[in-house]
Amino acid sequence: MKFKRILLKLSGEVFEGDKGFGMDFKKILEFAKEIKDVRKSGVQIGIVVGGGNIWRYRDFSNVEFLERTDSDMLGMMATVMNSVVLSSALKKCGVQSRVMSSFPCESLCETYNIANAKKYLELGEVLIFAGGTGSPFFTTDSASALRALEMKCDVLMKATKVDFVYDKDPVKFKNAKKFETLKFSDVVKMKLGVMDLTCASLLDEGSIPMLVFNLTKKGNIKKAVKGVKVGTLISSK
Ligand code: UDP
């Protein structure tokens, strides 16, 4: 295996499937089965889940009476909902899994703590980091960079619906340029939009590579973990 400990970032899009909102439970269960398969190979797996399928600040920014900080908190709560559903699906598949939230949700899951989180990963549990960073004005991309650094992961794998990073939308533009490798500085310079700037600078500084890959192709996570080239590898050097 090329990677021993991975951090997988799943956006809310993954959870909504083709429904455009909410949860596609069939897709979530299929995904849990794929995680099970990867876990069997001995890789330690942490997952950061987005919340955009339920609540995203920018989708509700026109609601004048809603404070940005409250709206962001709702987004973070949405990530907790997704995390609990994913953890349940994993358990159903026989995978030991646990949710840790960045803010207290005591009756539902544990509060995040670096030392305990490391212990759970070492014990082989699939650990789901819920609640983003716990602070407004951030995204779950930044949360995933933060957790990847704190957990000393070998790679941050960002699941998308396309195979590679392109300079423009490959669905709309036939001449879109595909990148197999990139530097974080290129992402910033070219404003590629594959991650936000906080995420890029955290990973760059911590020398943790990001692999952007297509989750809709079955078996891709396992291939990537084995070192087979899938997707765009973004690194510091
Ligand atoms: N959010 C936040 N702080 C964080 C992570 C998320 O305030 O550390 C809020 C923010 O409002 C965001 C929403 O939660 O729009 C959902 O997260 P994100 O947009 O990253 O989810 P994704 O697009 O990956 O589904």
Side-chain angles (χ1 to χ4, degrees), residues 9-13 49-53 55-58 68-69 71-79 82 131-143:
K9 159 72 206 298
L10 302 177
S11 69
E13 268 188 358
V49 176
N53 55 320
W55 192 277
R56 206 183 270 126
Y57 158 72
R58 66 171 181 271
R68 162 82 194 246
T69 45
S71 183
D72 276 340
M73 202 64 224
L74 295 178
M76 289 186 265
M77 286 169 72
T79 73
N82 283 336
T133 60
S135 296
F137 303 102
F138 285 94
T139 63
T140 48
D141 271 3
S142 299

Side-chain angles (χ1 to χ4, degrees), residues 23 57 65 68 100 105 117 144 189 196 199 206 219 222 231 235:
M23 301 200 197
Y57 158 72
F65 61 82
R68 162 82 194 246
M100 290 186 109
C105 302
S144 59
K189 233 183 287 163
D196 60 63
C199 175
K222 198 163 183 191
S235 53

Side-chain angles (χ1 to χ4, degrees), residues 35 55 61 90 123 204 215 221-222:
I35 296 279
W55 192 277
S61 54
L90 284 164
L123 285 172
D204 196 8
L215 184 79
I221 310 175
K222 198 163 183 191

Side-chain angles (χ1 to χ4, degrees), residues 27 39 51 64 72 80 90 94 100 185 187 191 214-215 236:
K27 276 256 159 69
R39 178 63 209 122
E64 283 167 26
D72 276 340
V80 177
L90 284 164
M100 290 186 109
S185 54
V187 172
K191 297 186 175 143
N214 189 344
L215 184 79
S236 304

